[in-house]
């Protein structure tokens, strides 16, 4: 019985250590304004009802962008949190969503999740060529010239991570 308890305790400690490292790494990335991407080209080609460029979408001094896919579990968790935070007035900046997923899938996802944010489409080639960050969810606060003020890759369900994300995004109002 003592051996089983010791194994369980060791497993929990290992998981806790791993989870804290994952959170720490995500926070380090979030605290780095570069995220290996210093600027997003304002000529990034988007689609909604018509073809447009990112510069036509970015209207505020600082804009919150989230690159996502409805089939990405981490993306769904992030968007649920962002949606809840925005509707609960904790998040002051309304994000703009960008995806390379199929329109009918995204439209249904947005409707089912009751997400009130603008969303646009991008081709996978454009995403890889112009952003090239490797994985999603990928979130940025950018200025009108496309300079990255804050960048984050990935998601953590850790409450302190989520609180810091909201605080950082709100700091760019």
């Amino acid at each position: 019985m003592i051996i089983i308890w010791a194994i369980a305790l060791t497993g929990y400690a290992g998981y806790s250590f791993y989870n804290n490292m994952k959170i720490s790494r995500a926070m380090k990335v979030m605290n780095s304004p570069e995220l290996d991407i210093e600027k997003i080209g304002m000529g990034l080609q988007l689609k909604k009802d018509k073809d447009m460029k990112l510069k036509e979408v970015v209207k505020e001094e600082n804009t919150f962008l989230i690159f996502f896919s409805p089939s990405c579990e981490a993306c769904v968790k992030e968007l649920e949190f962002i949606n809840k935070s925005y509707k609960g007035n904790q998040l002051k900046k309304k994000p703009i969503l960008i995806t390379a997923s199929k329109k009918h899938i995204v439209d249904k996802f947005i409707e089912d999740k009751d997400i009130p944010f603008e969303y646009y489409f991008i081709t996978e080639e454009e995403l890889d060529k112009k952003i090239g960050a490797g994985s999603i969810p990928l979130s940025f606060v950018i200025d009108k010239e496309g300079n990255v003020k804050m960048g984050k890759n990935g998601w953590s369900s850790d409450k302190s991570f989520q609180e810091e994300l909201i605080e950082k995004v709100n700091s760019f109002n």
Side-chain angles (χ1 to χ4, degrees):
M1 184 62 137
I2 293 174
I3 293 173
I4 293 171
W5 183 81
I7 291 170
L9 185 59
T10 303
Y12 174 78
Y15 171 78
S16 180
F17 175 74
Y18 167 76
N19 199 37
N20 286 337
M21 280 182 47
K22 188 168 81 174
I23 292 164
S24 175
R25 186 172 59 247
M27 293 308 288
K28 183 178 178 196
V29 169
M30 191 167 76
N31 286 324
S32 169
E34 296 83 27
L35 186 68
D36 296 328
I37 300 171
E38 295 177 1
K39 188 168 184 143
I40 295 179
M42 297 306 283
L44 194 68
Q45 190 66 43
L46 303 176
K47 286 185 180 278
K48 184 68 175 186
D49 299 323
K50 61 178 182 145
D51 289 350
M52 59 184 56
K53 304 228 182 276
L54 183 60
K55 67 181 173 188
E56 297 172 68
V57 173
V58 173
K59 297 178 177 108
E60 298 179 14
E61 183 57 39
N62 293 300
T63 300
F64 183 25
L65 302 175
I66 301 174
F67 292 84
F68 81 103
S69 169
S71 63
C72 160
E73 185 179 336
C75 298
V76 171
K77 287 181 180 181
E78 178 173 1
L79 286 176
E80 288 173 344
F81 171 76
I82 294 294
N83 193 22
K84 180 181 172 190
S85 298
Y86 183 77
K87 287 180 176 179
N89 292 319
Q90 293 90 8
L91 178 64
K92 306 299 181 205
K93 187 163 282 305
K94 193 174 192 176
I96 293 173
L97 310 179
I98 301 175
T99 183
S101 298
K102 296 193 182 309
K103 184 178 183 333
H104 71 278
I105 294 171
V106 176
D107 289 344
K108 181 169 178 16
F109 172 79
I110 294 291
E111 183 180 331
D112 289 351
K113 297 288 184 183
D114 192 30
I115 296 175
F117 311 135
E118 290 180 50
Y119 58 100
Y120 297 89
F121 299 90
I122 187 172
T123 65
E124 286 188 35
E125 297 78 28
E126 183 85 353
L127 181 61
D128 290 342
K129 185 171 80 174
K130 301 280 177 77
I131 304 296
S135 67
I136 51 175
L138 182 61
S139 304
F140 297 102
V141 173
I142 62 169
D143 66 15
K144 285 187 173 187
E145 288 77 44
N147 297 308
V148 174
K149 302 293 189 174
M150 182 216 76
K152 171 201 74 65
N153 188 296
W155 180 246
S156 172
S157 295
D158 178 72
K159 189 168 179 69
S160 62
F161 173 87
Q162 295 169 354
E163 289 170 354
E164 185 168 344
L165 174 63
I166 295 297
E167 184 180 320
K168 283 193 171 293
V169 172
N170 283 342
S171 74
F172 292 103
N173 264 343

